[in-house]
Amino acid sequence: MGDNEARRAGWKNIGDNVSKRLWFLDSKSLFARARYRTGLEDFGEPPIERPLEVLVNSLEQEANLHPLGRFLMRVRLQSQLETRLRLVNEWRTRPERIAESPVRRPIFITGMPRSGSSFLHELLAEDPENRAPRVWEVMFPVPVSRGGKGDDRDRRIRKTAASLWWFRRLAHQPDSVYPMRAWSPHECVAIHAYTCLSQEFICTARIPSYEKFLRSTDLTPVYAWQKRFLQYLQAGSAPKRWVLKTPDHVYSLRELFSIFPDAMIVQTHRNPLEVLRSSIQLTEVLYNLFAWPGNRHDIAEREAMLLAQQMGEFIRFRDAHPELAGRFIDLNYSDLAADPLAAVRRVYQQMDIVLTDQAAERMRRLNSQRSRYRKHNPTLTEFGVDVLREARRFSQYCFRFGVPCQ
């Protein structure tokens, strides 16, 4: 190691040690501070103590957080715990908001990540008959004050916009992989994060112990939490058809259907090699926001393995539950990209939903205004991926759903 490398390593160690003393991730102190700041005690169901303990221990021991990442992670967890306390208090003091607010026949968009699911989510959210959870109301779901409802909502939207502005300043080229704004439809994993049982944490840090814990946990209570969350958001207004999204429902389809028995699933498909390249880029952006850079080849290997596991889970579940065949609608990325409105029409037809002229016009307008960010995208070879090996790995999936794998 040269003198410059040694100095950089020394400063890194000093920064890591100082930040660990300032923002050490400890579940007991996080719980205590959340209770102190809110004046509330009960975190409700499902139990959160064990999941948070496993999560913070994994972050401390495995994630290799840099000082900024450690600070951001602590702020994030603290905010989620405080919001959970306030939500549970809201639900307890006004239970009628939940009981009188049913969730009927929700649409869940899932399937391959980076396969157009976010764009489809945005399109369906333009239909006035649909309802999507927005980023601002997932981040700050509880009103600050009872009076001045419109002003309070605007304050929460501005607060969300400011948080996302800082994210774009701190992350490297975030709009090239995930252009999120305050009014964007948000993913289910962000709702699940309030239970500390969420794929969202795995997407932002290398935490294998927590990941193993999550995969071995029954997530039925997490979906029960999500249902209450949606009922709370829609309370006081006429219930609409929820449109929800995350690729990670693949790990918990059994639990999803146990809580949402009338759910419809739109499964998006794309060339796995294109998905893999895009997924590696997104993972690098999120990991680097919180942790010291890892080995790009290791990230690529892990993403390929996870993607294959996800698609294997989907195939096994659908084969094991032929009675649910009518609940799944398959949509290829190429069809969505070529003619978004035609793709939406086909999805609606299979669900016996009428696409109104108003909804179609709003979707056309969104598509025409959609930003098409372009930059150099590294090839899989540049990531150190054996393309022929990965093509063979996904051959069953490609054959099953008629997806190219070249």
Short mmCIF file of all heavy atoms in Angstrom, two decimals, residues 319-366:
data_model
loop_
_atom_site.label_atom_id
_atom_site.label_comp_id
_atom_site.label_asym_id
_atom_site.label_seq_id
_atom_site.Cartn_x
_atom_site.Cartn_y
_atom_site.Cartn_z
N ASP A 319 -47.54 -22.79 -10.85
CA ASP A 319 -47.77 -24.21 -11.15
C ASP A 319 -48.50 -24.91 -10.01
O ASP A 319 -49.31 -25.81 -10.23
CB ASP A 319 -46.43 -24.92 -11.41
CG ASP A 319 -45.85 -24.58 -12.77
OD1 ASP A 319 -46.58 -24.01 -13.60
OD2 ASP A 319 -44.65 -24.86 -12.98
N ALA A 320 -48.21 -24.48 -8.77
CA ALA A 320 -48.83 -25.13 -7.60
C ALA A 320 -50.25 -24.65 -7.35
O ALA A 320 -50.98 -25.28 -6.56
CB ALA A 320 -47.97 -24.88 -6.36
N HIS A 321 -50.66 -23.55 -7.99
CA HIS A 321 -52.00 -22.98 -7.74
C HIS A 321 -52.73 -22.71 -9.05
O HIS A 321 -53.00 -21.55 -9.40
CB HIS A 321 -51.87 -21.70 -6.92
CG HIS A 321 -51.32 -21.92 -5.55
ND1 HIS A 321 -52.09 -22.34 -4.50
CD2 HIS A 321 -50.05 -21.81 -5.06
CE1 HIS A 321 -51.34 -22.45 -3.40
NE2 HIS A 321 -50.10 -22.15 -3.73
N PRO A 322 -53.10 -23.77 -9.76
CA PRO A 322 -53.84 -23.56 -11.01
C PRO A 322 -55.18 -22.89 -10.81
O PRO A 322 -55.71 -22.26 -11.73
CB PRO A 322 -54.00 -24.99 -11.56
CG PRO A 322 -53.86 -25.88 -10.35
CD PRO A 322 -52.88 -25.19 -9.46
N GLU A 323 -55.72 -22.98 -9.57
CA GLU A 323 -57.01 -22.34 -9.30
C GLU A 323 -56.91 -20.82 -9.35
O GLU A 323 -57.92 -20.11 -9.44
CB GLU A 323 -57.53 -22.79 -7.94
CG GLU A 323 -56.86 -22.17 -6.72
CD GLU A 323 -55.51 -22.82 -6.36
OE1 GLU A 323 -55.05 -23.69 -7.11
OE2 GLU A 323 -54.95 -22.44 -5.31
N LEU A 324 -55.67 -20.28 -9.29
CA LEU A 324 -55.46 -18.84 -9.33
C LEU A 324 -55.03 -18.36 -10.71
O LEU A 324 -54.66 -17.19 -10.87
CB LEU A 324 -54.40 -18.43 -8.30
CG LEU A 324 -54.77 -18.66 -6.83
CD1 LEU A 324 -53.56 -18.33 -5.93
CD2 LEU A 324 -55.97 -17.83 -6.42
N ALA A 325 -55.07 -19.22 -11.70
CA ALA A 325 -54.58 -18.86 -13.03
C ALA A 325 -55.27 -17.62 -13.57
O ALA A 325 -54.65 -16.76 -14.22
CB ALA A 325 -54.75 -20.03 -14.00
N GLY A 326 -56.57 -17.48 -13.30
CA GLY A 326 -57.32 -16.33 -13.79
C GLY A 326 -56.98 -15.03 -13.09
O GLY A 326 -57.42 -13.96 -13.53
N ARG A 327 -56.21 -15.10 -12.02
CA ARG A 327 -55.83 -13.89 -11.29
C ARG A 327 -54.54 -13.27 -11.82
O ARG A 327 -54.17 -12.19 -11.39
CB ARG A 327 -55.61 -14.23 -9.81
CG ARG A 327 -56.82 -14.83 -9.13
CD ARG A 327 -57.97 -13.82 -9.01
NE ARG A 327 -59.01 -14.36 -8.18
CZ ARG A 327 -58.99 -14.31 -6.86
NH1 ARG A 327 -57.99 -13.70 -6.24
NH2 ARG A 327 -59.95 -14.85 -6.16
N PHE A 328 -53.85 -13.97 -12.72
CA PHE A 328 -52.57 -13.48 -13.23
C PHE A 328 -52.73 -13.00 -14.67
O PHE A 328 -53.33 -13.68 -15.51
CB PHE A 328 -51.51 -14.58 -13.18
CG PHE A 328 -51.00 -14.87 -11.80
CD1 PHE A 328 -51.64 -15.80 -10.99
CD2 PHE A 328 -49.88 -14.20 -11.30
CE1 PHE A 328 -51.17 -16.06 -9.70
CE2 PHE A 328 -49.41 -14.46 -10.03
CZ PHE A 328 -50.06 -15.40 -9.23
N ILE A 329 -52.18 -11.84 -14.94
CA ILE A 329 -52.14 -11.27 -16.28
C ILE A 329 -50.68 -11.01 -16.63
O ILE A 329 -49.98 -10.32 -15.90
CB ILE A 329 -52.94 -9.95 -16.36
CG1 ILE A 329 -54.41 -10.21 -16.00
CG2 ILE A 329 -52.81 -9.31 -17.74
CD1 ILE A 329 -55.21 -8.95 -15.79
N ASP A 330 -50.22 -11.58 -17.73
CA ASP A 330 -48.82 -11.44 -18.14
C ASP A 330 -48.69 -10.30 -19.15
O ASP A 330 -49.47 -10.20 -20.09
CB ASP A 330 -48.32 -12.74 -18.76
CG ASP A 330 -48.29 -13.88 -17.75
OD1 ASP A 330 -47.58 -13.73 -16.74
OD2 ASP A 330 -48.99 -14.90 -17.96
N LEU A 331 -47.69 -9.46 -18.94
CA LEU A 331 -47.47 -8.31 -19.82
C LEU A 331 -45.98 -8.18 -20.12
O LEU A 331 -45.17 -8.06 -19.18
CB LEU A 331 -47.98 -7.03 -19.14
CG LEU A 331 -47.82 -5.73 -19.94
CD1 LEU A 331 -48.63 -5.78 -21.23
CD2 LEU A 331 -48.22 -4.52 -19.10
N ASN A 332 -45.63 -8.21 -21.39
CA ASN A 332 -44.23 -8.08 -21.79
C ASN A 332 -43.82 -6.61 -21.90
O ASN A 332 -44.58 -5.76 -22.40
CB ASN A 332 -43.99 -8.78 -23.12
CG ASN A 332 -43.90 -10.28 -22.96
OD1 ASN A 332 -43.88 -10.80 -21.84
ND2 ASN A 332 -43.87 -11.00 -24.07
N TYR A 333 -42.62 -6.34 -21.48
CA TYR A 333 -42.06 -4.99 -21.53
C TYR A 333 -42.08 -4.43 -22.94
O TYR A 333 -42.39 -3.24 -23.15
CB TYR A 333 -40.62 -5.02 -21.00
CG TYR A 333 -39.87 -3.72 -21.13
CD1 TYR A 333 -40.00 -2.72 -20.19
CD2 TYR A 333 -39.01 -3.50 -22.21
CE1 TYR A 333 -39.30 -1.52 -20.30
CE2 TYR A 333 -38.31 -2.32 -22.34
CZ TYR A 333 -38.46 -1.33 -21.38
OH TYR A 333 -37.77 -0.15 -21.52
N SER A 334 -41.78 -5.26 -23.92
CA SER A 334 -41.74 -4.79 -25.31
C SER A 334 -43.10 -4.28 -25.76
O SER A 334 -43.20 -3.28 -26.48
CB SER A 334 -41.25 -5.90 -26.24
OG SER A 334 -42.06 -7.05 -26.12
N ASP A 335 -44.18 -4.96 -25.34
CA ASP A 335 -45.53 -4.51 -25.70
C ASP A 335 -45.87 -3.20 -25.00
O ASP A 335 -46.47 -2.29 -25.60
CB ASP A 335 -46.56 -5.58 -25.32
CG ASP A 335 -46.40 -6.86 -26.11
OD1 ASP A 335 -45.88 -6.79 -27.25
OD2 ASP A 335 -46.77 -7.93 -25.59
N LEU A 336 -45.48 -3.07 -23.74
CA LEU A 336 -45.76 -1.85 -22.99
C LEU A 336 -45.00 -0.67 -23.58
O LEU A 336 -45.54 0.44 -23.71
CB LEU A 336 -45.38 -2.04 -21.52
CG LEU A 336 -45.57 -0.85 -20.59
CD1 LEU A 336 -47.03 -0.45 -20.49
CD2 LEU A 336 -45.01 -1.15 -19.20
N ALA A 337 -43.74 -0.89 -23.95
CA ALA A 337 -42.92 0.19 -24.51
C ALA A 337 -43.39 0.60 -25.90
O ALA A 337 -43.37 1.78 -26.25
CB ALA A 337 -41.46 -0.25 -24.56
N ALA A 338 -43.85 -0.38 -26.70
CA ALA A 338 -44.26 -0.09 -28.07
C ALA A 338 -45.57 0.68 -28.13
O ALA A 338 -45.72 1.62 -28.91
CB ALA A 338 -44.37 -1.38 -28.87
N ASP A 339 -46.54 0.31 -27.30
CA ASP A 339 -47.85 0.96 -27.31
C ASP A 339 -48.45 0.89 -25.92
O ASP A 339 -49.22 -0.04 -25.61
CB ASP A 339 -48.77 0.28 -28.33
CG ASP A 339 -50.03 1.08 -28.62
OD1 ASP A 339 -50.42 1.91 -27.77
OD2 ASP A 339 -50.62 0.89 -29.71
N PRO A 340 -48.12 1.85 -25.04
CA PRO A 340 -48.58 1.78 -23.66
C PRO A 340 -50.09 1.69 -23.51
O PRO A 340 -50.59 0.91 -22.69
CB PRO A 340 -48.03 3.07 -23.04
CG PRO A 340 -46.87 3.44 -23.89
CD PRO A 340 -47.24 3.00 -25.27
N LEU A 341 -50.81 2.47 -24.30
CA LEU A 341 -52.26 2.49 -24.15
C LEU A 341 -52.88 1.16 -24.57
O LEU A 341 -53.81 0.66 -23.92
CB LEU A 341 -52.87 3.63 -24.96
CG LEU A 341 -54.27 4.07 -24.52
CD1 LEU A 341 -54.28 4.51 -23.06
CD2 LEU A 341 -54.79 5.19 -25.41
N ALA A 342 -52.37 0.55 -25.63
CA ALA A 342 -52.87 -0.76 -26.06
C ALA A 342 -52.59 -1.81 -24.98
O ALA A 342 -53.43 -2.69 -24.73
CB ALA A 342 -52.22 -1.17 -27.38
N ALA A 343 -51.44 -1.71 -24.34
CA ALA A 343 -51.10 -2.65 -23.27
C ALA A 343 -52.07 -2.50 -22.09
O ALA A 343 -52.54 -3.49 -21.53
CB ALA A 343 -49.66 -2.43 -22.81
N VAL A 344 -52.37 -1.26 -21.74
CA VAL A 344 -53.32 -1.02 -20.65
C VAL A 344 -54.70 -1.53 -21.02
O VAL A 344 -55.39 -2.15 -20.19
CB VAL A 344 -53.37 0.48 -20.29
CG1 VAL A 344 -54.51 0.76 -19.32
CG2 VAL A 344 -52.04 0.94 -19.69
N ARG A 345 -55.12 -1.31 -22.25
CA ARG A 345 -56.44 -1.81 -22.69
C ARG A 345 -56.52 -3.32 -22.53
O ARG A 345 -57.55 -3.85 -22.10
CB ARG A 345 -56.70 -1.41 -24.14
CG ARG A 345 -57.00 0.05 -24.35
CD ARG A 345 -57.46 0.32 -25.78
NE ARG A 345 -57.55 1.74 -26.06
CZ ARG A 345 -58.57 2.52 -25.69
NH1 ARG A 345 -59.58 1.98 -25.03
NH2 ARG A 345 -58.57 3.81 -25.98
N ARG A 346 -55.46 -4.01 -22.90
CA ARG A 346 -55.49 -5.48 -22.79
C ARG A 346 -55.56 -5.91 -21.34
O ARG A 346 -56.29 -6.84 -20.99
CB ARG A 346 -54.25 -6.08 -23.46
CG ARG A 346 -54.25 -7.60 -23.49
CD ARG A 346 -53.20 -8.16 -24.42
NE ARG A 346 -51.85 -7.88 -23.94
CZ ARG A 346 -51.25 -8.60 -22.99
NH1 ARG A 346 -51.89 -9.60 -22.40
NH2 ARG A 346 -50.01 -8.32 -22.63
N VAL A 347 -54.81 -5.24 -20.47
CA VAL A 347 -54.87 -5.56 -19.04
C VAL A 347 -56.29 -5.32 -18.51
O VAL A 347 -56.85 -6.16 -17.80
CB VAL A 347 -53.85 -4.71 -18.26
CG1 VAL A 347 -54.08 -4.80 -16.75
CG2 VAL A 347 -52.42 -5.15 -18.59
N TYR A 348 -56.88 -4.19 -18.87
CA TYR A 348 -58.24 -3.87 -18.41
C TYR A 348 -59.26 -4.89 -18.93
O TYR A 348 -60.16 -5.30 -18.20
CB TYR A 348 -58.61 -2.46 -18.86
CG TYR A 348 -58.24 -1.37 -17.89
CD1 TYR A 348 -57.09 -1.46 -17.11
CD2 TYR A 348 -59.02 -0.23 -17.75
CE1 TYR A 348 -56.74 -0.46 -16.22
CE2 TYR A 348 -58.69 0.78 -16.85
CZ TYR A 348 -57.55 0.65 -16.10
OH TYR A 348 -57.22 1.65 -15.20
N GLN A 349 -59.13 -5.27 -20.18
CA GLN A 349 -60.07 -6.24 -20.75
C GLN A 349 -60.03 -7.56 -19.99
O GLN A 349 -61.06 -8.17 -19.73
CB GLN A 349 -59.75 -6.46 -22.23
CG GLN A 349 -60.16 -5.30 -23.12
CD GLN A 349 -59.64 -5.44 -24.54
OE1 GLN A 349 -58.94 -6.41 -24.87
NE2 GLN A 349 -59.96 -4.47 -25.39
N GLN A 350 -58.84 -8.00 -19.63
CA GLN A 350 -58.72 -9.26 -18.90
C GLN A 350 -59.26 -9.17 -17.49
O GLN A 350 -59.56 -10.19 -16.87
CB GLN A 350 -57.26 -9.72 -18.89
CG GLN A 350 -56.75 -10.15 -20.26
CD GLN A 350 -55.35 -10.73 -20.21
OE1 GLN A 350 -54.39 -10.12 -20.66
NE2 GLN A 350 -55.22 -11.91 -19.64
N MET A 351 -59.39 -7.95 -16.96
CA MET A 351 -59.97 -7.76 -15.64
C MET A 351 -61.41 -7.27 -15.70
O MET A 351 -61.99 -6.92 -14.66
CB MET A 351 -59.10 -6.78 -14.83
CG MET A 351 -57.75 -7.34 -14.44
SD MET A 351 -56.83 -6.30 -13.27
CE MET A 351 -56.41 -4.91 -14.33
N ASP A 352 -61.97 -7.20 -16.90
CA ASP A 352 -63.35 -6.71 -17.09
C ASP A 352 -63.53 -5.30 -16.52
O ASP A 352 -64.51 -4.99 -15.84
CB ASP A 352 -64.36 -7.66 -16.45
CG ASP A 352 -64.37 -9.02 -17.12
OD1 ASP A 352 -64.26 -9.06 -18.35
OD2 ASP A 352 -64.48 -10.04 -16.41
N ILE A 353 -62.55 -4.44 -16.79
CA ILE A 353 -62.61 -3.04 -16.37
C ILE A 353 -62.73 -2.18 -17.62
O ILE A 353 -62.07 -2.42 -18.63
CB ILE A 353 -61.34 -2.65 -15.59
CG1 ILE A 353 -61.24 -3.46 -14.29
CG2 ILE A 353 -61.34 -1.16 -15.26
CD1 ILE A 353 -59.94 -3.25 -13.54
N VAL A 354 -63.57 -1.16 -17.54
CA VAL A 354 -63.76 -0.24 -18.66
C VAL A 354 -62.71 0.86 -18.59
O VAL A 354 -62.55 1.52 -17.55
CB VAL A 354 -65.18 0.36 -18.64
CG1 VAL A 354 -65.33 1.41 -19.74
CG2 VAL A 354 -66.22 -0.73 -18.80
N LEU A 355 -62.00 1.06 -19.69
CA LEU A 355 -61.06 2.18 -19.78
C LEU A 355 -61.82 3.37 -20.37
O LEU A 355 -62.16 3.39 -21.56
CB LEU A 355 -59.86 1.82 -20.66
CG LEU A 355 -58.81 2.92 -20.85
CD1 LEU A 355 -58.18 3.28 -19.52
CD2 LEU A 355 -57.75 2.51 -21.86
N THR A 356 -62.08 4.35 -19.54
CA THR A 356 -62.86 5.50 -19.99
C THR A 356 -62.01 6.41 -20.88
O THR A 356 -60.77 6.37 -20.87
CB THR A 356 -63.37 6.31 -18.79
OG1 THR A 356 -62.23 6.87 -18.10
CG2 THR A 356 -64.16 5.43 -17.84
N ASP A 357 -62.70 7.25 -21.65
CA ASP A 357 -61.99 8.21 -22.50
C ASP A 357 -61.13 9.15 -21.67
O ASP A 357 -60.02 9.52 -22.07
CB ASP A 357 -63.00 9.01 -23.34
CG ASP A 357 -63.71 8.15 -24.37
OD1 ASP A 357 -63.19 7.07 -24.71
OD2 ASP A 357 -64.79 8.58 -24.84
N GLN A 358 -61.65 9.56 -20.51
CA GLN A 358 -60.90 10.47 -19.65
C GLN A 358 -59.60 9.82 -19.17
O GLN A 358 -58.53 10.43 -19.22
CB GLN A 358 -61.74 10.87 -18.44
CG GLN A 358 -61.02 11.83 -17.49
CD GLN A 358 -61.78 12.07 -16.19
OE1 GLN A 358 -62.72 11.33 -15.87
NE2 GLN A 358 -61.38 13.09 -15.45
N ALA A 359 -59.70 8.57 -18.73
CA ALA A 359 -58.51 7.87 -18.25
C ALA A 359 -57.51 7.67 -19.39
O ALA A 359 -56.30 7.86 -19.21
CB ALA A 359 -58.90 6.52 -17.65
N ALA A 360 -58.01 7.30 -20.57
CA ALA A 360 -57.12 7.08 -21.71
C ALA A 360 -56.38 8.36 -22.09
O ALA A 360 -55.19 8.34 -22.40
CB ALA A 360 -57.93 6.55 -22.90
N GLU A 361 -57.07 9.48 -22.06
CA GLU A 361 -56.44 10.75 -22.41
C GLU A 361 -55.37 11.13 -21.39
O GLU A 361 -54.29 11.62 -21.76
CB GLU A 361 -57.51 11.85 -22.50
CG GLU A 361 -56.95 13.23 -22.83
CD GLU A 361 -56.14 13.25 -24.12
OE1 GLU A 361 -56.47 12.49 -25.06
OE2 GLU A 361 -55.16 14.02 -24.19
N ARG A 362 -55.66 10.90 -20.13
CA ARG A 362 -54.67 11.21 -19.10
C ARG A 362 -53.43 10.32 -19.25
O ARG A 362 -52.30 10.76 -19.03
CB ARG A 362 -55.29 11.05 -17.72
CG ARG A 362 -56.32 12.13 -17.40
CD ARG A 362 -56.99 11.92 -16.07
NE ARG A 362 -56.03 11.91 -14.96
CZ ARG A 362 -56.38 12.03 -13.68
NH1 ARG A 362 -57.66 12.20 -13.36
NH2 ARG A 362 -55.47 12.02 -12.74
N MET A 363 -53.64 9.08 -19.63
CA MET A 363 -52.51 8.17 -19.84
C MET A 363 -51.69 8.59 -21.06
O MET A 363 -50.46 8.53 -21.03
CB MET A 363 -53.01 6.73 -19.99
CG MET A 363 -53.59 6.13 -18.73
SD MET A 363 -54.22 4.45 -18.99
CE MET A 363 -55.09 4.17 -17.43
N ARG A 364 -52.36 9.01 -22.12
CA ARG A 364 -51.64 9.51 -23.31
C ARG A 364 -50.79 10.72 -22.95
O ARG A 364 -49.64 10.84 -23.39
CB ARG A 364 -52.64 9.90 -24.41
CG ARG A 364 -53.31 8.76 -25.12
CD ARG A 364 -54.03 9.25 -26.38
NE ARG A 364 -54.96 8.25 -26.89
CZ ARG A 364 -56.24 8.19 -26.59
NH1 ARG A 364 -56.78 9.12 -25.81
NH2 ARG A 364 -57.01 7.24 -27.10
N ARG A 365 -51.36 11.62 -22.15
CA ARG A 365 -50.63 12.82 -21.77
C ARG A 365 -49.40 12.46 -20.93
O ARG A 365 -48.32 13.01 -21.14
CB ARG A 365 -51.55 13.75 -20.99
CG ARG A 365 -50.96 15.15 -20.75
CD ARG A 365 -51.91 16.04 -19.98
NE ARG A 365 -53.21 16.10 -20.59
CZ ARG A 365 -54.34 15.72 -20.00
NH1 ARG A 365 -54.32 15.25 -18.76
NH2 ARG A 365 -55.49 15.79 -20.62
N LEU A 366 -49.56 11.53 -20.01
CA LEU A 366 -48.42 11.10 -19.19
C LEU A 366 -47.32 10.51 -20.08
O LEU A 366 -46.14 10.83 -19.92
CB LEU A 366 -48.87 10.06 -18.17
CG LEU A 366 -47.74 9.40 -17.37
CD1 LEU A 366 -47.10 10.40 -16.41
CD2 LEU A 366 -48.24 8.18 -16.61
#
